[in-house]
Amino acid sequence: MTRFILASLMAGVLALPALAADYTILAPAAPGGGWDQTARTMQEVLRSEGISESVQVQNVPGAGGTVGLAQFVASAAGDPSQLIVGGYVMVGAILTNGSPVGLDDVTPIARLTGEYEAIVVPASSPIQTVGELVDQLKADPGAVSWAGGSAGGTDHIAVGLLAKAAGVDPTKINYIAFSGGGEALAAILGSQVTAGVSGLSEFLPQVEAGTMRLLAVTAPERLEGVDAPTLAEAGYDVVLQNWRMVAAAPGISDEQKAAILADIEKMNASEGWQKALASKGWANTWLAGDAFAEQLAKDRETTEGILREIGLVK
């Protein structure tokens, strides 16, 4: 009888659904920017799709994400409930800031999204086209101020590549780095800078509201529903896509990594995630496992070459 009861209890336990994991996602930037949006969109979808019952988001801004990355590596080691979002911006920031901590120190899970850069001016600006903006840049590079994300990140790289394509010394550009999208938006809307550069989704609400003018995007061809030329179309050979990723803590087991990947795969395949991508204008650039780790290594090498080329890394 005892054996029968134990067997029945075990069968009941095995029949129960697996408990959903709880997560804390670190966004290594201030509220309002792309990493913050990514973390909070993940939070919403993981919860609404029943993949996780509890998901918290923590913001730790500074130095292109390297402050948050260092804190994450130091405090989250071995904890499978801790995640961090990052991306192309962080690859460059690690190099330009000489960070002692890099993406080799975390456990990459998957690349999630991709987004092209957008160049904007406040609606009150006399600048009507990207050609007019570049004309001013050629005349006096230091007089044209650019608001964007962290030094060495995608925004900074975009401006450097545009300057180089226009025949302007990229080391002469007047780039003002902000740790969060909200701060950069305020500077642009307040006409404290000449122009702004960031992911398209961060500017679209202001463009649609008529408070910003969209001059160009860094896509290889015109984007559906976006009334702006590409830089290539305007005569500047610049194509650039920012990507964002999620990583887990260092020191977790293979089994823990597999469980996290399974949850993120469910999120990526969910209807809620697909709707979020569409509403924000993010491309699904899903890449996971060893393939993502290999691509990450290639991206680091390529980014270092670009940063050297435009004078951001010696």
Side-chain angles (χ1 to χ4, degrees):
M1 178 61 70
T2 301
R3 288 178 180 175
F4 175 77
I5 292 171
L6 287 173
S8 299
L9 287 172
M10 286 300 295
V13 169
L14 291 173
L16 290 173
L19 293 174
D22 293 342
Y23 291 110
T24 296
I25 305 173
L26 191 149
W35 287 340
D36 179 66
Q37 289 185 37
T38 300
R40 294 186 190 280
T41 304
M42 290 178 65
Q43 177 188 46
E44 180 182 344
V45 174
L46 286 168
R47 283 175 174 173
S48 64
E49 296 288 339
I51 299 168
S52 177
E53 292 182 0
S54 175
V55 183
Q56 305 299 319
V57 173
Q58 178 186 13
N59 292 88
V60 182
T66 56
V67 172
L69 178 65
Q71 178 177 310
F72 182 79
V73 170
S75 65
D79 185 349
S81 72
Q82 302 294 314
L83 302 176
I84 183 171
V85 295
Y88 191 18
V89 172
M90 190 179 283
V91 173
I94 288 167
L95 294 166
T96 55
N97 288 292
S99 173
V101 176
L103 293 177
D104 289 335
D105 298 305
V106 297
T107 304
I109 297 297
R111 187 181 67 193
L112 299 173
T113 66
E115 184 176 22
Y116 293 107
E117 296 283 290
I119 296 172
V120 300
V121 292
S124 59
S125 171
I127 298 170
Q128 299 293 319
T129 68
V130 72
E132 292 177 10
L133 178 62
V134 171
D135 285 344
Q136 290 192 18
L137 185 67
K138 288 179 177 179
D140 188 351
V144 177
S145 54
W146 304 80
S150 306
T154 322
D155 304 342
H156 200 169
I157 289 172
V159 178
L161 290 175
L162 175 58
K164 185 172 183 292
V168 176
D169 183 351
T171 64
K172 303 297 184 184
I173 60 175
N174 181 10
Y175 183 83
I176 303 169
F178 292 87
S179 62
E183 296 174 4
L185 281 175
I188 300 163
L189 291 170
S191 297
Q192 298 168 23
V193 293
T194 310
V197 58
S198 190
L200 178 60
S201 68
E202 295 184 40
F203 292 146
L204 276 180
Q206 287 72 32
V207 171
E208 291 169 353
T211 57
M212 282 186 184
R213 182 177 303 120
L214 178 58
L215 300 183
V217 294
T218 62
E221 56 189 29
R222 284 212 177 206
L223 299 174
E224 184 178 352
V226 176
D227 184 20
T230 67
L231 285 176
E233 181 183 340
Y236 311 104
D237 186 18
V238 178
V239 175
L240 185 65
Q241 186 182 49
N242 185 15
W243 52 261
R244 299 184 183 111
M245 57 164 273
V246 61
I252 61 173
S253 68
D254 289 343
E255 292 77 13
Q256 290 169 331
K257 178 182 177 181
I260 295 168
L261 177 56
D263 281 348
I264 301 302
E265 283 179 327
K266 288 177 191 173
M267 180 196 78
N268 179 67
S270 72
E271 183 180 353
W273 185 251
Q274 302 311 313
K275 286 181 177 177
L277 295 180
S279 69
K280 294 179 181 298
W282 294 345
N284 189 332
T285 59
W286 175 264
L287 190 65
D290 292 340
F292 175 50
E294 290 171 10
Q295 185 61 48
L296 195 53
K298 291 178 183 176
D299 285 346
R300 282 200 295 266
E301 183 177 347
T302 302
T303 303
E304 183 172 1
I306 292 172
L307 291 172
R308 291 188 187 281
E309 185 180 350
I310 62 177
L312 294 177
V313 170
K314 303 299 182 185

